[in-house]
Amino acid sequence: MTTKQPEFTLSRPGALIAALPAILGFVPESSLVLVSVDGGELGSVLRVDLSEELADSIGHLADVAAAATPEKAIAVIVDAHGACCPVCNDEHRRLIAILEHELSRNDIGLLSAHVVDEVAPGGRWHCADGCGAGGTVDDPAASPLAAAAVLEGRQLYRRRSDLQAVIAPDDAARSAAVAAAIDDAAADRAAAAAGDARGLARRDVEQAVAAIVAMAVGRMPGGTELARLGASLSDVLVRDTLCALAISEHSGAAEMLWSTLARSLPEPWRAEALVLVAFSAYARGDGPLAGVSLDAALRSVPRHRMAGLLDTALQSGLRPDRIRGLADTGYRLARQLGVRLPQRQELGRRAGGDSAA
């Protein structure tokens, strides 16, 4: 996702590497990170896991980077064994050579490539092509981008797995109760929709709003209510209307409900909740959470239209304010349904993101 860079320079590898946790939302490990540069400024940032298959997928990584049409890019390989392993260094040079070729195919020049053992104060980096340059990593907590992330209220995670835990199933008993009830909830909706589909959508939106208002004061929904809410999200009109809540005065409670549903609903029902988590996170500038939510949604429903569109927007560096129009559409849909939603709340422009190819 595209980021702004307060008092930040790309000319010092130790500072650039230290900024990665603030950009990605977590500390990268065993990763290839590609930082796009346009007009001398930091642009979209992509991260993929190091793996034996990575060389075969670098072309796709370059294609995703090209969506934002950057002029240049910088590569960072994070590998705990890279600093002292000749075989690893050979592999790193091979990966960078493939990356440089694929980037050039997209008219993107590779400015530099660095290998670092860990993204932590005192971590050691060196240039991937064996030029002899090297040094230590600055303190990530002292990075200007980290300070900006804290001021914007974004949470930084120690590992990507900690970020993924926000949406991962966590309560077996609750999940079992929801799974047992959701088929009945879906059948009840189907029967009601046959009589008055718009009336049902209006009722579903009102119930979701009521659940969000209740969560705002600390009341958590039970398994039956979660099943009913989850079943209602299969109605595109309901889901798109509820997108409005991402810019409402209850946006935090709404995102909490979507996250609870994502952790509680069985497949493939949870895909819609994951899309709402992703949209809410994206709208407030939390690219990392949006990215992992979209990744999970597309694993659940690979051809999910809205998840695919949001994923493309996120990976191409489209700023949050550009996608908030869907939230405005949600308010328009609510008026057509005759539903009064919580009041709009102005959102500041926030930055940061992890776009995994």
Side-chain angles (χ1 to χ4, degrees):
M1 186 165 178
T2 303
T3 80
K4 295 184 71 176
Q5 44 171 325
E7 301 178 3
F8 181 71
T9 176
L10 294 167
S11 61
R12 293 183 51 245
L16 171 64
I17 294 168
L20 294 179
I23 298 169
L24 296 172
F26 58 91
V27 180
E29 299 174 328
S30 189
S31 300
L32 169 61
V33 182
L34 187 65
V35 179
S36 66
V37 181
D38 202 3
E41 294 191 349
L42 185 67
S44 60
V45 179
L46 308 176
R47 187 212 66 89
V48 292
D49 292 330
L50 292 181
S51 68
E52 294 181 358
E53 299 79 23
L54 177 56
D56 296 329
S57 61
I58 285 181
H60 175 62
L61 177 66
D63 290 342
V64 172
T69 64
E71 300 169 350
K72 306 287 184 180
I74 299 172
V76 177
I77 293 176
V78 185
D79 187 348
H81 307 292
C84 58
C85 172
V87 174
C88 295
N89 286 330
D90 289 342
E91 180 61 22
H92 297 155
R93 282 191 285 271
R94 187 174 76 89
L95 285 176
I96 294 303
I98 296 172
L99 177 62
E100 186 170 22
H101 170 75
E102 294 295 340
L103 288 172
S104 67
R105 183 174 56 81
N106 287 281
D107 298 320
I108 303 171
L110 185 62
L111 284 175
S112 57
H114 315 295
V115 178
V116 63
D117 56 357
E118 60 176 342
V119 182
R124 302 291 305 180
W125 67 268
H126 64 268
C127 62
D129 63 3
C131 70
T136 59
V137 178
D138 294 358
D139 184 355
S143 166
L145 291 181
V150 172
L151 288 174
E152 292 168 352
R154 289 196 290 114
Q155 184 171 352
L156 303 183
Y157 296 85
R158 179 66 187 86
R159 294 179 177 83
R160 191 169 190 262
S161 58
D162 297 333
L163 175 59
Q164 291 170 317
V166 175
I167 56 168
D170 63 347
D171 187 324
R174 181 175 63 189
S175 296
V178 174
I182 196 163
D183 287 339
D184 288 340
D188 291 343
R189 280 199 85 262
D196 182 6
R198 290 185 67 81
L200 177 61
R202 180 171 59 250
R203 185 198 72 184
D204 288 338
V205 172
E206 289 173 343
Q207 289 180 340
V209 171
I212 287 165
V213 172
M215 288 195 80
V217 295
R219 188 186 75 79
M220 298 295 291
T224 300
E225 185 177 3
L226 288 171
R228 185 173 64 248
L229 291 168
S232 74
L233 298 183
S234 62
D235 185 332
V236 173
L237 177 57
V238 173
R239 186 203 63 200
D240 289 355
T241 303
L242 293 174
C243 283
L245 298 174
I247 60 171
S248 76
E249 61 185 344
H250 289 315
S251 58
E255 189 172 314
M256 188 184 306
L257 177 59
W258 312 146
S259 299
T260 301
L261 286 166
R263 293 193 300 270
S264 305
L265 293 170
E267 305 284 2
W269 299 96
R270 69 186 300 254
E272 303 301 341
L274 287 164
V275 167
L276 284 172
V277 174
F279 181 78
S280 178
Y282 197 163
R284 64 180 173 80
D286 191 342
L289 180 55
V292 298
S293 299
L294 291 171
D295 183 57
L298 289 168
R299 285 200 309 271
S300 176
V301 182
R303 296 188 179 183
H304 194 290
R305 186 170 182 272
M306 185 174 176
L309 291 172
L310 288 175
D311 190 54
T312 298
L314 183 69
Q315 296 204 49
S316 64
L318 194 68
R319 289 190 177 280
D321 56 332
R322 297 290 300 278
I323 61 98
R324 289 181 196 140
L326 182 55
D328 291 326
T329 298
Y331 274 101
R332 177 175 57 80
L333 292 173
R335 287 194 299 271
Q336 292 175 357
L337 287 172
V339 177
R340 185 174 181 177
L341 296 180
Q343 185 175 337
R344 281 181 174 85
Q345 176 178 279
E346 286 297 321
L347 295 174
R349 291 179 65 177
R350 297 176 179 178
D354 168 39
S355 301

